[in-house]
Amino acid sequence: MKFGGTSVGKPERMHHIASLVTKETEPVIVVLSALSGTTNSLIEIGGLISKGDRQAAKAAIGKLEAHYLDFIAHLVTKPEAIDRAKAIVAEHFEFLNIILKISFSEALSKDILAQGELLSTKLFSVYLEEQGINHMLLPALEFMTIDSYDEPQIGSIKVKLSQILQQHKDTPLFVTQGYICKNARGEVDNLKRGGSDYSASLIAAAINASVCEIWTDIDGMHNNDPRIVKKTIPVEQMSFDEAAELAYFGAKILHPASIWPAQTYNIPVRLLNTMQPLAKGTLITEKAGSVGVKAVAAKDNIIAIRIKSSRMLLAYGFLRKIFEVFEKFRTPIDMITTSEVAVSLTIDNAVYLKEILKELEPFGTIEVDENQAIISVVGNEISQTEAMVKKLFGSIMNIPVRMVSYGGSPHNISLLVPAEYKGQILQQLNKGMFGLD
Ligand code: ASP
Ligand code: MG
């Protein structure tokens, strides 16, 4: 059971999740994020330290510490528990204050980021202890590891976790940190922003869990972006493939990488709402549940690149040469469409854009459109859905579509549009494809 930042962000929420996890009849591993806002603050603190602005960093550390002192004041009531919680807060903030005095490094910044999940899990443990709830803290840094390409080492995670669990067969409840891990150099590292979902899925896969529950503050994956479109509905069931497309193409509820471990080891994933524990949420399994369009999602900050060349005509090996440029700069391509004399593709990582464009130049005429959005329509066997294409394009006739990608998978149609049309197109698709106004 994984709980996100807002699910642990207030003392009363933490009390609430304690009641949720103790209702379980099976043994549980609880994976916690940092309290909401903490990782952002830690990033800010790291940034200030790296710039040498120690004064501002110290102030930010002080502010965050005050937040935690206020948090524990409402979390626990018994004197011993208060002392324990205060000691934990003191220990972690002392660490941050010591960092202020030593020279900054990349590794140190990861240590700073790890404090959030260490704090949330330890404080939750103090509360459970105060309540007399039998449990054990499971230090993620003892089993969660990534290799030199930042890929989780599922094999070794499995071995290490099962060793630890073997030694504690009678423990009904474990609490561990999401997000944090050790890297190939043995340093503290993390699974990138939002990575607690990934931790949960890796752990579920490693222990062959009966289910991986991701608890957030919304009742599952919705058919459209609830931040943009007023009326959205939760999707009851979808396949891993559909969930992967949606998570990758913008549904913020789930970290995109968190699908593959569950999918590979066939562990059902359930997206549930902490505020409405009885709501059905979304079940993600091998089976899609039903045929047809399930949801749309949008991904921002997309750059489209068009390479036009008469040399592409009847040539082979042309695409390989283009792809090699992106490979060289470790830049993933999201969407791709081709004609006989041109190819258009999109990227969302502009770090090496200049270098990429320079190397593409010899291939032909290059056009770049920045500030685009990918709108992804996701479902099961959507090509077999009656009048789907007609409905889709019929509802967005007034929108200038720059690219269309269809047929790459049976689960997805992607459209590229200028970002300023994102809200409008999501709204119109909500009406045209789901009949929701
Ligand atoms: N605390 C981390 C973050 O904010 C990881 C997570 O919440 O999933 O990105
Ligand atoms: Mg998250």
Side-chain angles (χ1 to χ4, degrees):
M1 298 173 82
K2 178 260 170 179
F3 295 88
T6 36
S7 301
V8 291
K10 296 220 169 79
E12 60 272 22
R13 299 259 168 89
M14 245 190 204
H15 299 163
H16 176 57
I17 65 165
S19 75
L20 284 176
V21 302
T22 46
K23 276 200 193 91
E24 294 296 315
T25 48
E26 283 181 294
V28 182
I29 298 184
V30 172
V31 179
L32 299 186
S33 291
L35 312 194
S36 49
T38 297
T39 307
N40 286 345
S41 299
L42 293 170
I43 286 176
E44 186 199 337
I45 290 165
L48 291 167
I49 299 177
S50 78
K51 279 193 294 186
D53 195 346
R54 274 155 220 274
Q55 202 74 37
K58 202 174 159 57
I61 293 170
K63 201 173 146 203
L64 191 61
E65 183 169 9
H67 177 70
Y68 274 85
L69 290 174
D70 184 51
F71 185 89
I72 57 173
H74 298 95
L75 179 71
V76 284
T77 45
K78 291 188 187 149
E80 319 86 76
I82 296 175
D83 287 348
R84 285 267 302 120
K86 277 188 180 160
I88 289 163
V89 172
E91 178 199 328
H92 287 274
F93 283 89
E94 203 175 291
F95 173 80
L96 289 174
N97 280 307
I98 289 171
I99 282 184
L100 270 182
K101 300 191 187 99
I102 49 187
S103 64
F104 187 79
S105 68
E106 194 54 37
L108 211 51
S109 83
K110 305 278 177 65
D111 272 315
I112 296 175
L113 291 179
Q115 302 309 306
E117 271 71 10
L118 291 170
L119 274 162
S120 65
T121 46
K122 287 188 189 178
L123 294 177
F124 185 55
S125 169
V126 171
Y127 174 69
L128 292 176
E129 204 174 286
E130 181 186 51
Q131 298 300 308
I133 297 166
N134 183 12
H135 74 285
M136 193 190 126
L137 267 176
L138 201 58
L141 298 177
E142 281 179 18
F143 62 85
M144 191 57 79
T145 51
I146 52 175
D147 63 19
S148 51
Y149 296 100
D150 290 351
E151 292 297 332
Q153 298 174 299
I154 183 89
S156 98
I157 295 169
K158 221 175 159 130
V159 171
K160 286 183 185 152
L161 246 183
S162 73
Q163 276 169 358
I164 302 174
L165 296 179
Q166 271 296 318
Q167 290 162 10
H168 303 278
K169 275 193 180 141
D170 298 326
T171 307
L173 179 61
F174 297 89
V175 179
T176 191
Q177 300 83 24
Y179 181 59
I180 63 173
C181 62
K182 284 242 171 107
N183 63 26
R185 294 179 296 278
E187 301 155 349
V188 172
D189 209 319
N190 60 64
L191 301 175
K192 315 258 158 57
R193 290 310 304 270
S196 293
D197 298 341
Y198 199 10
S199 304
S201 175
L202 287 162
I203 292 170
I207 64 164
N208 194 23
S210 57
V211 60
C212 173
E213 294 182 351
I214 307 283
W215 290 79
T216 62
D217 49 4
I218 179 165
D219 52 346
M221 188 97 84
H222 277 221
N223 76 303
N224 205 327
D225 192 332
R227 291 162 304 175
I228 295 175
V229 173
K230 260 202 208 118
K231 199 162 179 189
T232 63
I233 47 169
V235 181
E236 264 183 42
Q237 192 178 342
M238 63 175 76
S239 66
F240 288 118
D241 289 333
E242 292 173 295
E245 305 261 17
L246 281 171
Y248 184 73
F249 286 114
K252 285 283 176 301
I253 182 168
L254 197 60
H255 188 288
S258 60
I259 305 292
W260 77 258
Q263 181 164 23
T264 310
Y265 292 84
N266 205 8
I267 313 289
V269 175
R270 232 178 234 292
L271 307 179
L272 293 158
N273 186 352
T274 323
M275 317 298 160
Q276 268 174 271
L278 296 177
K280 271 196 183 144
T282 301
L283 174 65
I284 305 168
T285 62
E286 212 46 71
K287 292 196 201 78
S290 61
V291 170
V293 173
K294 301 242 178 91
V296 298
K299 189 169 159 82
D300 296 308
N301 291 321
I302 305 292
I303 300 157
I305 303 170
R306 177 181 288 132
I307 304 127
K308 210 171 137 193
S309 166
S310 49
R311 273 188 294 143
M312 192 175 157
L313 190 70
L314 300 173
Y316 51 83
F318 188 80
L319 289 177
R320 176 178 56 78
K321 287 180 199 140
I322 288 175
F323 288 163
E324 271 171 1
V325 174
F326 291 86
E327 187 182 347
K328 179 172 167 191
F329 294 103
R330 291 177 141 251
T331 300
I333 296 170
D334 283 335
M335 243 176 116
I336 168 158
T337 56
T338 65
S339 83
E340 190 48 40
V341 292
V343 50
S344 267
L345 43 83
T346 70
I347 58 172
D348 71 346
N349 177 354
V351 177
Y352 296 108
L353 182 60
K354 256 202 213 129
E355 290 83 348
I356 289 171
L357 294 178
K358 192 150 188 286
E359 296 217 4
L360 288 177
E361 239 165 53
F363 293 108
T365 322
I366 316 290
E367 286 166 41
V368 180
D369 291 311
E370 292 189 59
N371 222 348
Q372 306 284 304
I374 293 178
I375 309 295
S376 207
V377 178
V378 173
N380 179 32
E381 303 298 345
I382 47 178
S383 57
Q384 289 166 26
T385 313
E386 213 190 303
M388 191 274 306
V389 174
K390 187 176 166 191
K391 265 197 212 161
L392 171 58
F393 287 100
S395 58
I396 58 164
M397 287 208 294
N398 55 335
I399 311 257
V401 177
R402 160 79 166 78
M403 277 168 75
V404 179
S405 174
Y406 179 36
S409 91
H411 317 295
N412 162 290
I413 300 183
S414 294
L415 310 170
L416 189 76
V417 299
E420 70 252 39
Y421 289 95
K422 182 178 104 174
Q424 198 182 334
I425 193 167
L426 289 178
Q427 195 72 58
Q428 285 175 215
L429 287 172
N430 214 39
K431 188 166 181 205
M433 309 224 56
F434 301 98
L436 296 168
D437 226 342

